[in-house]
Amino acid sequence: MGTVPSALKHCLSYQHLLKEQPWIGEPVPPPQPGQESQTSGLPEYIKIVEVGPRDGLQNEKVIVPTDIKIELINRLSKTGLSAIEVTSFVSSKWVPQMADHKEVMRGIERHPGVRYPVLTPNLQGFHNAIAAGATEVSVFGAASESFSKMNINCSIEESIEKFEEVVKSARNMNIPVRGYVSCALGCPYEGNILPAKVAEVSKRLYSMGCYEISLGDTIGVGTPGSMKRMLEAVMKEIPLSAIAVHCHDTYGQALANILTAIQVLLQCMSEGAVFLADLNLSRSCQNSLMKQALHSLSDWLYASSSLAWSEGKSPVSWILTQVQDITSQPVSVVMH
Amino acid sequence: MGTVPSALKHCLSYQHLLKEQPWIGEPVPPPQPGQESQTSGLPEYIKIVEVGPRDGLQNEKVIVPTDIKIELINRLSKTGLSAIEVTSFVSSKWVPQMADHKEVMRGIERHPGVRYPVLTPNLQGFHNAIAAGATEVSVFGAASESFSKMNINCSIEESIEKFEEVVKSARNMNIPVRGYVSCALGCPYEGNILPAKVAEVSKRLYSMGCYEISLGDTIGVGTPGSMKRMLEAVMKEIPLSAIAVHCHDTYGQALANILTAIQMGVAVVDSSVAGLGGCPYAKGATGNVATEDVIYMLNGLGINTGVNLYRVMEAGNFICTALNKKTNSKVAQASFNTGTIN
């Protein structure tokens, strides 16, 4: 754009200026009362679920040493994140990258206010996880029969039965369970996936006792259009507060899809049924630029969990106040 | 997500399936009457202005030979794009990458229904462009005084005066002029830019006769919030139909920013094939948003662009091979990695 050379000489001064620029690190301050709200229709708070140590490292070619994994998780624990997915209690025969699940689980620092869920595909994995000190687990369903068979060697129905065992044991021990639905926006084998199917699997997982359902665009093919259609179907079956999105950036669509998800879920708020706006964003930290990108997105979203805690209020009561201020309507809170 | 190994074995079948999947190439058909419109509030048609050959190549380290540039533009002309920015008539002392502007302008095929704008920073550049056969030109303003002084060595006001000369001559010859406003969402020198300033410069360019104003996030620092605030200010001063957005992907925000803009009714989007063109202000960072990634998103929304994604990917593959570099388009990476296109 325009001529470049003299501007190039200023690369250094730009880097210097960058440190002083407000667009890295600090969220934009909320609008003053009376000012037109530029974030009308957006949640005040968004929970980010960090899946890098598990979903991220599991899919890297290099097997990362245990001490590096532990150090990564410890560093993430100090960022203000409230949920960090630590590891996966699957057989090391299938997922060698997660073979050190016990050591990682036992080796990490447990920071107050941070949850450390782990994957448990079946009852045995669940028991191993609990023995290693896990206090929250996740189960992985799929909206595609082919993907379910190819990935975990059983049909959706069979996998649901296995998860029911896990959830039943977990509930007996007061262990929260998070449910994932893979291929929510497309399957590498079947292609397009019907939103109704995603909704059906989500409902099964939620009904059995999963407190939250993370809808995964496993191969990253989703766009704002398909995200909207899928969420509209799922929202008919499970509460808003239980919905999370897990977007892959394979086609560069992730941020646009996340933005759409936030808008769609909030639109439902404005139509009368008011829920606690607790939208969870999961993302892989494979791409370090994505990490920065998500920081920039938080500038717009006013992600402010640390703010709530620094003011000495509990996040729930703080969020409740914000939502009531925005909507002037009674708010029903789903606690978890 | 879940166990991986068995899925990996099926990469090959996935590549095969990719050809049959509707998410590459074909736009989603519009909703049937009675169905809830998934694109409620969005434009039915979005014009893509391809800036790869100019903004893209201008910011690449390698100087591309003239015949390669011409071949790239010719390939882009066959994709369905309706506007392709060809080159820049600036002094080769300042922008050596565009030194062959005359040869490129004269060498390209001119396809019916495709416009071939060129940059003309001043009257001399304008005359050179016309002599070389240009039929549309662009002028580049900025919303930041510092950027204007650093980049083109004059204040915003002085630059506007130069553009007025260009626009006046252009209008006499019935040559359309497009106006750009750089630093619309942030400046590498001044930091935040007031939306009102962007609106003011846009209004000046539009009033003098530019038919379209492209608002550029020059350093890619914008987010949906700042995009919305800026567009709200600009929309008070110039018609919606005259607004285009030119988003850089330096911070990965481009598609989210473009989505925000089109939700507000903007129907013209600039992009660069293969995401050509780095950001000169942030070493190692990406610059222009990739045309392929934009089309992919718009196809998924059921918005018509008239552009064939496959052909754009092929053009992108051509230029990246010539530049010996990896594409910046995620869509192209996802497709080429699966071996769909050779």
Side-chain angles (χ1 to χ4, degrees), chain A residues 277-310:
Chain A
D278 186 50
L279 175 68
N280 309 324
L281 309 177
S282 309
R283 60 134 181 87
S284 162
C285 73
Q286 283 178 18
N287 186 345
S288 64
L289 217 56
M290 258 301 263
K291 207 176 202 169
Q292 292 172 35
L294 212 54
H295 262 294
S296 299
L297 187 62
S298 79
D299 149 51
W300 175 64
L301 295 173
Y302 305 169
S304 53
S305 57
S306 57
L307 174 66
W309 292 346
S310 69

Side-chain angles (χ1 to χ4, degrees), chain A residues 1-15 17-18 21-24 28 36-40 54-55 58-59 88 90-91 93-97 119 121 140-141 147 149-153 180-183 185-193 214-226 228-229 232 236 246 248-257 259-260 263 267 287 289-290 292-297 299-300 302, chain B residues 1-11 13-14 17-18 21-24 28 36-40 54-55 58-59 88 90 93-96 119 140 147 149-152 180-183 185-193 214-219 221-226 228-229 232 236 246 248-253 255-257 259-260 263 279-283 286 292-294 296-301 330-335 338:
Chain A
M1 303 183 75
T3 53
V4 174
S6 50
L8 278 171
K9 297 178 206 159
H10 295 273
C11 272
L12 287 174
S13 55
Y14 169 61
Q15 285 161 22
L17 283 165
L18 186 60
Q21 293 319 329
W23 43 68
I24 288 280
V28 168
E36 190 183 332
S37 170
Q38 67 265 42
T39 57
S40 55
R54 202 281 308 166
D55 194 15
Q58 175 173 310
N59 289 303
S88 184
V90 294
S91 160
K93 192 175 60 173
W94 292 116
V95 188
Q97 296 91 335
L119 246 70
F140 256 85
F147 188 86
K149 287 190 181 115
M150 297 296 191
N151 212 30
I152 53 176
N153 212 22
Y180 281 86
V181 181
S182 305
C183 297
L185 295 178
C187 169
Y189 310 107
E190 292 185 13
N192 276 331
I193 295 294
S214 178
L215 305 166
D217 183 10
T218 307
I219 45 173
V221 292
T223 58
S226 57
K228 187 170 193 277
R229 286 189 295 274
E232 282 168 350
K236 290 179 186 155
H246 180 119
H248 278 204
D249 203 39
T250 320
Y251 288 78
Q253 307 295 304
L255 281 198
N257 292 343
L259 179 60
T260 300
Q263 290 171 336
Q267 193 179 2
N287 186 345
L289 217 56
M290 258 301 263
Q292 292 172 35
L294 212 54
H295 262 294
S296 299
L297 187 62
D299 149 51
W300 175 64
Y302 305 169
Chain B
M1 305 187 73
T3 52
V4 174
S6 47
L8 278 171
K9 296 177 206 157
H10 294 274
C11 273
S13 53
Y14 167 60
L17 283 164
L18 185 62
Q21 296 318 329
W23 45 68
I24 289 280
V28 167
E36 194 182 329
S37 168
Q38 70 263 36
T39 58
S40 54
R54 203 280 307 167
D55 194 12
Q58 175 173 309
N59 288 303
S88 183
V90 293
K93 190 173 61 170
W94 293 117
V95 188
L119 245 68
F140 256 85
F147 187 87
K149 286 189 181 114
M150 298 297 193
N151 211 31
I152 50 175
Y180 282 87
V181 181
S182 305
C183 297
L185 295 177
C187 168
Y189 310 107
E190 290 183 16
N192 277 330
I193 295 293
S214 176
L215 305 166
D217 184 11
T218 307
I219 46 174
V221 293
T223 60
S226 58
K228 187 171 194 280
R229 286 189 294 274
E232 280 168 347
K236 288 179 187 156
H246 181 117
H248 279 204
D249 204 38
T250 321
Y251 289 79
Q253 307 296 300
L255 280 197
N257 292 343
L259 179 61
T260 300
Q263 285 173 339
C279 175
Y281 306 98
K283 195 179 170 190
T286 51
E292 298 92 317
D293 298 357
V294 173
Y296 184 90
M297 181 175 76
L298 297 180
N299 280 354
L301 282 165
K330 288 268 175 70
V331 171
Q333 281 173 36
S335 306
T338 60

Side-chain angles (χ1 to χ4, degrees), chain B:
Chain B
M1 305 187 73
T3 52
V4 174
S6 47
L8 278 171
K9 296 177 206 157
H10 294 274
C11 273
L12 288 174
S13 53
Y14 167 60
Q15 288 160 25
H16 173 72
L17 283 164
L18 185 62
K19 288 196 161 94
E20 300 159 4
Q21 296 318 329
W23 45 68
I24 289 280
E26 302 305 318
V28 167
Q32 298 303 317
Q35 268 185 13
E36 194 182 329
S37 168
Q38 70 263 36
T39 58
S40 54
L42 296 174
E44 297 242 332
Y45 170 78
I46 286 190
K47 178 175 90 174
I48 293 184
V49 176
E50 171 60 49
V51 299
R54 203 280 307 167
D55 194 12
L57 295 185
Q58 175 173 309
N59 288 303
E60 290 288 334
K61 296 188 190 78
V62 173
I63 294 187
V64 176
T66 308
D67 58 340
I68 301 279
K69 283 181 188 162
I70 290 171
E71 176 64 21
L72 170 65
I73 294 165
N74 290 344
R75 287 184 186 221
L76 290 168
S77 289
K78 295 169 189 161
T79 59
L81 284 161
S82 60
I84 303 168
E85 207 174 54
V86 168
T87 187
S88 183
F89 281 80
V90 293
S91 159
S92 56
K93 190 173 61 170
W94 293 117
V95 188
Q97 296 91 335
M98 299 283 119
D100 55 359
H101 36 68
K102 263 186 272 191
E103 292 76 14
V104 173
M105 193 74 234
R106 289 190 180 133
I108 57 170
E109 292 164 10
R110 308 283 282 253
H111 287 238
V114 186
R115 299 165 75 136
Y116 298 95
V118 299
L119 245 68
T120 52
N122 49 40
L123 206 53
Q124 179 169 359
F126 174 75
H127 289 312
N128 293 342
I130 299 304
T135 48
E136 179 168 333
V137 301
S138 306
V139 293
F140 256 85
S144 153
E145 282 293 353
S146 316
F147 187 87
S148 189
K149 286 189 181 114
M150 298 297 193
N151 211 31
I152 50 175
N153 214 20
C154 58
S155 70
I156 295 178
E157 192 55 43
E158 287 163 349
S159 73
I160 298 257
E161 283 163 22
K162 290 188 190 181
F163 303 148
E164 269 167 340
E165 295 179 338
V166 172
V167 175
K168 197 170 163 190
S169 299
R171 288 181 85 173
N172 286 343
M173 302 174 65
N174 280 331
I175 300 272
V177 183
R178 191 187 206 227
Y180 282 87
V181 181
S182 305
C183 297
L185 295 177
C187 168
Y189 310 107
E190 290 183 16
N192 277 330
I193 295 293
L194 290 175
K197 188 69 184 173
V198 182
E200 180 198 321
V201 178
S202 304
K203 185 179 181 181
R204 295 289 299 276
L205 291 173
Y206 184 75
S207 312
M208 76 169 67
C210 294
Y211 74 92
E212 194 169 86
I213 310 298
S214 176
L215 305 166
D217 184 11
T218 307
I219 46 174
V221 293
T223 60
S226 58
M227 171 64 84
K228 187 171 194 280
R229 286 189 294 274
M230 185 273 293
L231 284 177
E232 280 168 347
V234 174
M235 274 159 43
K236 288 179 187 156
E237 304 292 347
I238 68 176
L240 189 52
S241 57
I243 297 177
V245 289
H246 181 117
C247 298
H248 279 204
D249 204 38
T250 321
Y251 289 79
Q253 307 296 300
L255 280 197
N257 292 343
I258 289 168
L259 179 61
T260 300
I262 66 178
Q263 285 173 339
M264 293 173 74
V266 171
V268 184
V269 174
D270 297 0
S271 59
S272 174
V273 60
L276 287 177
C279 175
Y281 306 98
K283 195 179 170 190
T286 51
N288 284 301
V289 68
T291 302
E292 298 92 317
D293 298 357
V294 173
I295 295 175
Y296 184 90
M297 181 175 76
L298 297 180
N299 280 354
L301 282 165
I303 294 174
N304 185 23
T305 61
V307 184
N308 184 308
L309 176 53
Y310 278 121
R311 292 199 190 148
V312 176
M313 285 203 280
E314 282 167 356
N317 189 35
F318 163 77
I319 191 64
C320 288
T321 307
L323 286 167
N324 194 26
K325 67 169 272 183
K326 203 175 134 186
T327 179
N328 284 325
S329 158
K330 288 268 175 70
V331 171
Q333 281 173 36
S335 306
F336 286 114
N337 282 343
T338 60
T340 308
I341 294 180
N342 299 315

